[in-house]
Structures are given as C-alpha cells and as structure tokens.
C-alpha cells in the first residue's frame, strides 16, 4: 500500500524548491477538489510507492484564507501518513507557529530546518537535537537549494509515515489551561462527549476550526462557550491562544537557537536599502521592467521569433550549411503530391498553419519573458515590488494585496483573478477582479510584439509602455472607483514577509518557464486551432451572386460582412477597417487570436515581425498612431472568454460580472479614442468632432481623479520584515 507525505510550510520557506528536489519530473498539477487553488503531487524519486503532496504555502491552520482552508481540510479529512514541515531557519520563531499546530493533529511530523547554509553564514547556531527533544518529533538540518540533508530528511519522513515515529500532542501553559478547564466543565455540563483531549477541542474552537464545531455543535452551544471563556479571561480567546503559542515557542527556542553576538546588516538588508528606497524604488522597478521587455521583445526574443516565423513557419532555415524547409513548404509539397483538394490545401496552409503558426511563432519571445519573470519571483525581487506598490496603491484606496493577483496575472489572467480570493475585504476583492486583467498577460505578448516590430520598427519603448499602461489603468481605476459608494472604505491591511534574496536554481527557473509556456502551447493546439478554422471558413466562404460557396476575394466572405457591420464602431479609434475590427472581436475568445486572425486575413507569409511585407500590407489599415490605439484597446478591453468565466465565478453575481466587463470595455474604448484623437492633433491631423470627444474623455477621467471626497483613514500596516518577532493574523 502506498505512502502519502504532505509537504507543509510558510510561504518563502523553500517548500517548492524541496518539492522539486524530492519529485524531480515525477509531478503533476491540478486543482484541489471543489476549488481552483493549485494542487501539486509527485512521486518521490526512487520510491514509486511514496507520494508527496505539496500543500499551499500558509502561516497557520486557522482558516482565514482559501489556502489555509484547503491545507487544513486536507490534513483533517485525507489524513496523510506523515507531514514534512519545512521551516525557514533564518526566521525560526514565526515558522514554528505552524509547526505547533501541525503537531497537535496527531499525524507524525518531521521538521526540516531549511536554509541552514544561510544560518551558518550569519553566525547563528541551531541545536536541532534540543529542538527535536522539545518538539517531540524528528528535526533535520537541510538546504533545499544546495540539496544538502535531502537523503536524511527523506529517510526520516518515510520512517514517520510507517509509524516508527512517536506522536506527541502539544502542551500549553497554565494560563490557557485555566480557561480551557472552564470550557471542559461546560462541555461536560452540557452533556457533550468527553473527548480524550478537551483542551485540543477548545483551542480549535478559538482557532476557527469548523470541523470541530460541526462535531459538537449539535450538543453544545459553541458561541456561548467562547463568550464565557472571553468573560473569564477578560480578553479575546483567540488572541490569548496565539500569545500562548508564541510563549511556548519562545521557551523552545531559548535553548535551541544561539544568535550571533553582533547584529550585522545582511546582504538582503543592504540591497533593500537601495531597491526599496522611497525615491529610488519606482525608477529601479521601471528600469528592471524596461530591460525585461527590451530583451524579451526587442532583442533576444525578436531574434528567436524571427527564426521561428521565417524559418520553422516560413520558407525554412540553414543549419550547418544544410537547408531545412519550413512547415508550410513541407506540408504544401505533401498536399500537392497527394493531389489534395484546393479547399483542403487552403484550410491547412491558409487557415491552420497561418493562424496557429502566427501565434506559435511568438512562443520564443514568451519563453524569454517567462524566464525573466520566474527569475525575479524566485530571487525575491517581486516580493519587494508588492511592498513598493503597496505604498502607491494604499494612497489610491487599494492595498498591496491587490498587487499579488496582478503579479500572477502577468502569466495568465485566470489564476490572477482567482488569487483575489485571499483579499478579505469584499470591496477591494471586487475591484481587484475588475482591474487584474489590465496587466499584459502572456496571451497579449504576441500582440505587443507584432505591433512593436511591424509598425514601430522594433522600438524599445513600445513593449515596456504596454506594461505601464496596464499599471496606470489599475491605479486610475482604483482612484475613480474608490470615490464611489460601491467601493468606498478603508483599504485592507497588508502584512507579508520579505524573503532573503537568493540565487534561484536554474532547474526551478526553467521548470516555471516551461509550465507557463506549455500552457500557452496547449491553448494554441485547442482553442486557437478551433478559432482559426472558424476564421478561415467564415473568411473564405460567402454569398456571391446569390450562391454560397468559396470566394476568391476575402472581401466577399462572411467574416468581411460581419466585420464591415461593426467596423464603424472603431472609426474614432483610428482603425475602422474591417480586418482590424474582426481581429479585436476574435481576441475575446483568446487574445492570441488577434495575431492568428491577421495571419489568416493578411496571409501568413506577410506576418513576419520585422518583414517589409507586413508593413506594406498593414499600412492601409494602420498608422503608427492608430496601431498604438489598437494596442491600448486590446490591452484594456474585456479579457478572453476563460478570464471572463473566472470573473463571473469570483464575482458570483451576474450584475457585478456585467458591470466589470462593461467598465473594462468602456475604459478601453475611451482611452484608445483619446490616444488616437489627441495624438492626431500633435501629428498634424485634422480637428474634428471626435477630437472634442477625446478631450472630454480626458477631462472626465481627470474630474473623477481629482474631485474632492472624504478620504478614508488608511492603515499604516505595510510589510513585516523577515526578522519580525511575531506574525499575527
């Protein structure tokens, strides 16, 4: 029979790194039953019978957030054979809070004190023997990053799972016991069950353990018990339990941890003096993101994309003097040799290869971008960005918690939207859901790359500007919406840790890049494939002289008829030609469809990012100004269908869903109109009625930004350092 070991620990404790080391490539990702929080499981390398389940990174089992609910329910309901608790050795006190809760569950626990290389470098010493004796469970020193102690911790975890490790229930001080004795008496008076450890039950009542409540609620008035205890102690019971946990942890650490005599600034502290500086933080962030997009879209990414577009999905490429034909050439020759029907050749070459190929051609750029993002996340810099943005967001009515979903949204808007569940304040959560998709996700990168390369000659400012357009839209929306009754109120407090800077493992960065990139490729092989077939059919078939059939001129196709019927809507935005209108609409299915649609409608041979052909072909539809207007609209308008579905699920209200989609679309239209019409004046264009509308849009936005209102009192809670004495919910 197989063994299941649950991996539990605080965020940034090195849990994910250890999980990757233990499982290697033998892992699979899904969602927890009933929720959309990511679930990772894997087989222990060399042990096919041992399954490692990676629980969400949490600070405690008291269920305040969805991640904590998921972790607690798994441990209580699924009952794994053992728990491998990852503890950050550089912040022992805070990490042991979760450890005390895990030990109480009665499941064998093995503690892995991680980052021991950093602990030793700082001069601190941890006596794991004493720590093990006081906790009553095995404690092993490891360094997941350098793969030290992995063999020993694996052995200990398997022994614990096989029942070779004793289980000891956590004990509390007399201060709490006096209150718990009172509760125990009340439980017995009410005729409740005489549990083996009433103190455990009482503690779980205070720590919001719904499972315990459900078990005894039919026989006991739970709320009256809690109220009575609070009366006896003249304080909040939950706070008392928290305080006593830390008192207990302090007694454990007293003989287990010896701090270095001299407190020196760590390397992370020295870097943070510059990176999180009040005046330098934002310029540094802007420079970092400019470099990321410059390398990803304009230089290295472009070279790789040119190779993919011109070579793999074009005429071919040379390798060591050997000419290798591209996919269109190979397929074209094959279809000719088997005398395939004309419509079939057109479907495969002008539809599937042109549409899907145009999208996949930008995969190299996306992979380069994903490498950068994975590196910034793993090294600890992105946590600093949340800290920096909290300062800004808090001035505009949002907290730094809103930046976490936005950060996740740079990969894909769907998990970004779902990450808003961690925001307790309902108003802030709704606003975050509405604004998260403003940030350019991976699916929008091909649009950015196409516009930057084909219509701006590879200008380095275009791609980074797209990122900051999204940030600006989020901030502006936060200011405007917070001044309405629907969203008024204090921003939620934001408490998080700043992990130490560390050099990421190359394998972890590449794994993260591949997971994101593979998700994009799978979408290209499913949603994009079906979309391109639909686009090819509707563009190549239509009514001519009263008869329906394949048309020679795309202007006579069904898609052209639809496009011409809606293109007038986009005339004020500068791109009222039907092909551009259709591309924007198909982007609602999946944003990659914008590029795929251009690939079909303009002919894939022309959709090479740097090619002269696409410039001449698109020149009739776009100027540099109208192209940027097109880019802005597609960045800010309603997201893809998948993200819309996530918005509807998270809003759980049809009216709020349509309000969110309507707000995004109206804002996108207004901003794109203002960009084109006002920009047109400065580039020598004519002054028209739409120019006045553009100025009115700007005036309306400025009015909502600066109109007076009763400011809410913002909380002065920002970010706790890694040296924080306590972490309280």
């Amino acid at each position: 029979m197989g063994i299941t070991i649950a991996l539990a620990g605080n965020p940034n404790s090195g849990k994910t790194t250890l999980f990757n080391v233990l499982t290697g490539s033998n892992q699979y990702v899904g969602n927890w039953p009933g929720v959309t929080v990511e679930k990772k499981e894997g087989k222990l390398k060399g042990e096919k019978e041992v399954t490692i389940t990676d629980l969400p990174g949490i600070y405690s089992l008291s269920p305040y957030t969805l991640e904590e609910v998921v972790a607690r329910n798994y441990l209580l309901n699924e009952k794994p054979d053992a728990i491998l608790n990852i503890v950050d050795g550089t912040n022992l006190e805070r990490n042991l809070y979760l450890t005390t809760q895990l030990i109480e569950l009665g499941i064998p626990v093995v503690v892995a004190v991680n980052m021991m290389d950093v602990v030793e470098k700082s001069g601190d010493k941890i006596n794991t023997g004493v720590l093990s004796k006081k906790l009553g469970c095995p404690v092993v020193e490891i360094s997941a990053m350098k793969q030290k102690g992995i063999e020993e911790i694996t052995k200990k975890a398997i022994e614990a799972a096989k029942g070779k490790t004793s289980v000891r229930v956590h004990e509390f001080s007399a201060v709490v016991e006096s209150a718990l004795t009172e509760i125990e008496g009340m439980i017995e008076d009410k005729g409740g069950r005489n549990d083996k450890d009433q103190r455990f039950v009482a503690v779980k009542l205070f720590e919001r353990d719904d499972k315990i409540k459900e078990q005894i609620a039919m026989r006991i008035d739970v709320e009256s018990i809690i109220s009575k205890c609070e009366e006896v102690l003249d304080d909040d019971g939950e706070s008392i339990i928290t305080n006593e946990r830390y008192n207990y942890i302090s007694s454990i650490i007293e003989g287990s941890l010896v701090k270095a005599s001299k407190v020196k600034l760590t390397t992370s502290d020295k870097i943070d003096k510059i990176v999180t500086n009040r005046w330098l933080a934002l310029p540094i962030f802007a420079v970092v993101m400019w470099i990321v997009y410059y390398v990803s879209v304009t230089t290295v990414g472009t070279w790789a994309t040119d190779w993919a577009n011109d070579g793999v999905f074009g005429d071919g490429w040379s390798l060591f003097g050997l000419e290798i034909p591209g996919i269109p050439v190979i397929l074209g020759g094959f279809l000719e040799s088997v005398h395939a029907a004309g419509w079939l050749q057109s479907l495969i070459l002008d539809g599937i290869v042109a549409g899907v190929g145009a999208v996949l051609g930008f995969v190299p750029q996306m992979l380069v971008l994903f490498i950068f993002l994975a590196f910034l996340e793993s090294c600890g810099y992105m946590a600093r960005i949340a800290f920096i943005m909290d300062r800004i967001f808090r001035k505009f009515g949002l907290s730094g918690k809103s930046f976490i979903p936005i950060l996740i949204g740079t990969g894909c808007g769907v998990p970004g939207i779902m990450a808003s569940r961690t925001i307790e304040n309902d108003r802030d959560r709704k606003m975050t859901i509405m604004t998260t998709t403003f940030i350019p996700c991976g699916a929008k990168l091909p649009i950015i790359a196409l516009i930057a390369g084909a219509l701006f000659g590879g200008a380095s400012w275009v791609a980074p500007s797209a990122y900051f357009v999204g940030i600006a839209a989020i901030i502006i929306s936060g200011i405007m919406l917070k001044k309405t009754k629907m969203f008024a109120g204090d921003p939620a407090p934001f408490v998080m840790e700043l992990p130490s800077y560390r050099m990421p493992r190359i394998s972890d960065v590449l794994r993260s890049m591949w997971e994101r990139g593979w998700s994009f490729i799978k979408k290209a092989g499913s949603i994009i494939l079906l979309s391109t077939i639909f686009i090819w059919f509707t563009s190549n078939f239509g009514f001519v002289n009263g008869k329906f059939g394949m048309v020679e001129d795309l202007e006579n196709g069904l898609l052209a008829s639809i496009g011409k019927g809606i293109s007038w809507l986009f005339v004020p935005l500068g791109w009222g030609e039907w092909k551009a209108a259709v591309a924007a609409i198909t982007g609602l299915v999946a944003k990659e469809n914008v590029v795929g649609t251009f690939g079909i409608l303009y002919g894939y041979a022309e959709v090479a990012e740097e090619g002269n052909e696409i410039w001449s072909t698109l020149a009739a539809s776009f100027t540099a100004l109208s192209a940027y207007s097109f880019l802005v609209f597609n960045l800010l308008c309603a997201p893809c269908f998948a993200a819309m579905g996530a918005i509807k699920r998270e809003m759980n209200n049809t009216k709020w869903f349509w309000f969110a989609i309507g707000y995004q679309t109206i804002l996108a239209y207004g901003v794109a109109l203002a960009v084109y019409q006002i920009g047109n004046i400065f580039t020598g264009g004519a002054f028209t009625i739409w120019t006045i509308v553009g100025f009115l849009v700007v005036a309306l936005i400025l009015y909502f930004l600066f109109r007076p209102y009763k400011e809410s009192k913002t909380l002065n809670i920002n970010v706790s350092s890694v040296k924080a004495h306590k972490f309280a919910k």
Side-chain angles (χ1 to χ4, degrees):
M1 191 171 177
I3 293 175
T4 301
I5 299 174
L7 210 59
N10 288 188
N12 301 308
S13 61
K15 184 170 61 66
T16 300
T17 302
L18 179 60
F19 176 73
N20 291 333
V21 171
L22 294 176
T23 60
S25 59
N26 306 316
Q27 55 184 254
Y28 38 97
V29 181
N31 287 327
W32 292 94
V35 294
T36 46
V37 175
E38 188 178 79
K39 175 183 182 179
K40 282 188 175 182
E41 289 185 347
K43 295 294 183 181
L44 181 65
K45 286 192 292 188
E47 297 282 348
K48 293 182 180 181
E49 297 300 316
V50 180
T51 300
I52 307 293
T53 300
D54 186 18
L55 297 178
I58 56 174
Y59 290 103
S60 78
L61 292 180
S62 306
Y64 285 85
T65 67
L66 183 64
E67 285 83 358
E68 288 168 349
V69 171
V70 164
R72 183 207 60 184
N73 288 349
Y74 175 81
L75 292 172
L76 290 176
N77 299 330
E78 302 299 326
K79 296 187 183 302
D81 298 299
I83 300 173
L84 183 52
N85 177 214
I86 314 306
V87 170
D88 180 358
T90 64
N91 201 342
L92 201 58
E93 186 173 10
R94 175 178 55 72
N95 279 247
L96 287 179
Y97 189 93
L98 175 64
T99 304
T100 62
Q101 291 185 316
L102 294 175
I103 291 173
E104 290 170 353
L105 297 177
I107 301 172
V109 175
V110 177
V111 176
V113 183
N114 193 22
M115 305 182 192
M116 285 303 298
D117 53 325
V118 180
V119 173
E120 293 169 0
K121 189 175 181 181
S122 67
D124 295 346
K125 294 182 180 179
I126 298 176
N127 190 325
T128 53
V130 174
L131 190 60
S132 175
K133 185 177 180 180
K134 290 189 174 184
L135 287 174
C137 65
V139 178
V140 180
E141 297 181 3
I142 70 166
S143 174
M145 187 71 69
K146 296 186 177 181
Q147 299 190 26
K148 293 182 178 179
I150 304 300
E151 186 176 340
E152 184 180 359
I153 196 66
T154 302
K155 180 182 177 182
K156 292 288 186 183
I158 294 176
E159 288 178 355
K162 291 180 177 180
K164 297 180 180 180
T165 301
S166 60
V167 180
R168 193 179 84 179
V169 177
H170 171 69
E171 297 178 358
F172 291 95
S173 70
V175 177
V176 174
E177 283 203 9
S178 63
L180 302 184
T181 302
E182 179 75 16
I183 293 177
E184 183 176 307
M186 294 180 68
I187 292 175
E188 291 175 349
D189 291 342
K190 294 284 183 177
R193 185 183 57 187
N194 185 18
D195 287 274
K196 184 178 180 181
D197 191 347
Q198 296 287 357
R199 293 173 301 166
F200 174 76
V201 174
V203 169
K204 292 305 150 188
L205 287 175
F206 283 116
E207 294 186 326
R208 301 168 183 262
D209 195 313
D210 294 332
K211 186 175 181 63
I212 297 294
K213 283 187 180 183
E214 289 172 5
Q215 289 177 352
I216 64 175
M218 298 300 294
R219 300 179 297 278
I220 304 169
D221 185 354
V222 174
E223 296 304 327
S224 69
I225 293 175
I226 294 178
S227 298
K228 178 64 178 176
C229 188
E230 289 174 352
E231 287 175 13
V232 173
L233 296 172
D234 193 26
D235 204 340
D236 176 67
E238 188 177 357
S239 299
I240 293 172
I241 298 299
T242 300
N243 187 59
E244 289 305 315
R245 280 197 189 281
Y246 278 115
N247 288 340
Y248 174 75
I249 292 169
S250 296
S251 69
I252 293 175
I253 291 178
E254 190 173 346
S256 308
L257 174 64
V258 179
K259 301 287 288 186
S261 56
K262 293 184 179 180
V263 179
K264 298 180 180 179
L265 282 179
T266 64
T267 303
S268 292
D269 292 333
K270 294 175 183 177
I271 296 174
D272 281 340
K273 277 182 166 290
I274 301 173
V275 174
T276 62
N277 179 276
R278 182 174 296 275
W279 305 110
L280 296 177
L282 278 179
I284 290 174
F285 174 51
V287 170
V288 168
M289 295 314 298
W290 180 84
I291 292 173
V292 167
Y293 277 92
Y294 178 73
V295 175
S296 302
V297 177
T298 311
T299 55
V300 176
T302 293
W303 303 332
T305 292
D306 286 347
W307 169 79
N309 280 330
D310 300 336
V312 178
F313 297 105
D315 295 331
W317 73 97
S318 298
L319 181 65
F320 302 116
L322 180 65
E323 294 296 326
I324 302 176
I327 291 176
V329 176
I330 295 173
L331 284 177
F334 172 75
L335 293 171
E336 285 287 346
S337 65
V338 297
H339 306 290
W343 67 267
L344 182 59
Q345 292 189 42
S346 178
L347 169 62
I348 295 175
L349 297 177
D350 302 331
I352 296 174
V353 174
V356 177
V359 174
L360 291 179
F362 291 97
V363 167
Q365 283 179 322
M366 296 183 66
L367 295 180
V368 175
L369 176 64
F370 291 157
I371 284 178
F372 273 106
L373 293 178
F375 178 84
L376 293 176
E377 290 169 5
S378 299
C379 75
Y381 180 67
M382 280 306 188
R384 272 73 182 176
I385 299 305
F387 167 64
I388 294 165
M389 297 309 295
D390 179 64
R391 293 179 188 167
I392 301 171
F393 279 22
R394 190 162 295 282
K395 295 180 186 298
F396 305 134
L398 285 171
S399 78
K401 282 189 176 182
S402 297
F403 188 71
I404 304 301
I406 291 166
L407 180 62
I408 296 172
T410 56
C412 177
V414 174
I417 293 166
M418 293 188 300
S420 64
R421 293 179 177 182
T422 59
I423 302 175
E424 295 90 350
N425 187 296
D426 186 62
R427 294 185 298 267
D428 289 356
R429 187 177 61 83
K430 284 185 169 67
M431 191 188 303
T432 303
I433 291 170
M434 290 174 58
T435 57
T436 292
T437 55
F438 287 153
I439 207 74
C441 63
K444 295 176 182 176
L445 184 64
I447 307 174
I448 297 171
L450 179 65
I451 299 297
L455 296 172
F456 287 92
S460 62
W461 63 270
V462 177
S465 74
Y467 184 85
F468 289 108
V469 163
I471 292 289
I474 293 167
I475 293 175
I476 291 171
S477 296
I479 298 173
M480 295 193 301
L481 294 174
K482 268 292 180 180
K483 293 182 179 181
T484 64
K485 290 183 179 180
M486 294 185 295
F487 296 99
D490 293 342
F494 179 44
V495 182
M496 68 168 292
E497 67 171 321
L498 292 180
S500 300
Y501 287 103
R502 66 193 70 168
M503 184 59 66
R505 294 172 66 229
I506 295 177
S507 59
D508 291 340
V509 172
L510 293 178
R511 186 191 303 275
S512 176
M513 174 209 70
W514 175 246
E515 286 177 354
R516 291 177 173 180
W518 180 240
S519 176
F520 178 85
I521 293 171
K522 285 191 293 185
K523 186 192 288 186
S526 55
I527 298 173
I528 309 301
L529 175 62
L530 295 175
S531 298
T532 54
I533 293 174
F534 172 79
I535 294 166
W536 171 84
F537 178 81
T538 53
S539 61
N540 283 274
F541 284 81
F543 292 92
V544 178
N545 298 324
K547 294 183 179 181
F548 180 79
M550 197 167 184
V551 298
E552 295 183 1
D553 190 348
L554 296 183
E555 295 286 339
N556 297 322
L558 293 174
L559 197 61
S561 301
I562 297 171
K564 290 171 184 177
I566 61 173
S567 61
W568 59 272
L569 288 170
F570 305 105
V571 170
L573 279 58
W575 38 279
E577 207 269 341
W578 72 267
K579 293 180 180 179
V582 164
I585 298 302
T586 59
L588 295 177
V589 178
K591 289 301 176 183
E592 302 94 331
N593 274 340
V594 173
V595 174
T597 302
F598 281 145
I600 294 172
L601 299 182
Y602 287 101
Y604 180 66
E606 290 87 27
V607 189
E609 185 187 348
E610 300 280 358
N612 295 324
E613 298 89 346
I614 190 171
W615 180 265
S616 59
T617 313
L618 293 181
S621 302
F622 289 103
T623 62
L625 189 58
S626 64
Y628 200 78
S629 167
F630 180 82
L631 176 61
V632 167
F633 179 82
N634 281 278
L635 287 176
L636 304 182
C637 75
C640 65
F641 283 173
M644 286 188 202
I647 291 175
K648 192 172 190 308
R649 287 193 302 273
E650 298 305 314
M651 288 292 194
N652 197 27
N653 184 293
T654 303
K655 291 182 179 179
W656 272 107
F657 165 72
W658 286 113
F659 177 76
I661 298 302
Y663 175 79
Q664 293 168 340
T665 304
I666 292 171
L667 180 69
Y669 191 93
V671 173
L673 185 147
V675 166
Y676 178 73
Q677 295 297 336
I678 296 176
N680 199 37
I681 293 295
F682 290 99
T683 55
F687 191 96
T688 66
I689 186 66
W690 288 112
T691 307
I692 298 175
V693 174
F695 278 108
L696 288 176
V697 169
V698 174
L700 186 65
I701 292 175
L702 291 175
Y703 168 74
F704 278 107
L705 286 176
F706 297 105
R707 74 185 178 98
Y709 78 114
K710 186 178 181 180
E711 295 188 21
S712 60
K713 295 179 181 179
T714 56
L715 299 173
N716 293 321
I717 302 176
N718 279 325
V719 180
S720 65
S721 72
V722 285
K723 296 179 180 178
H725 179 64
K726 293 181 180 180
F727 184 90
K729 282 289 179 187

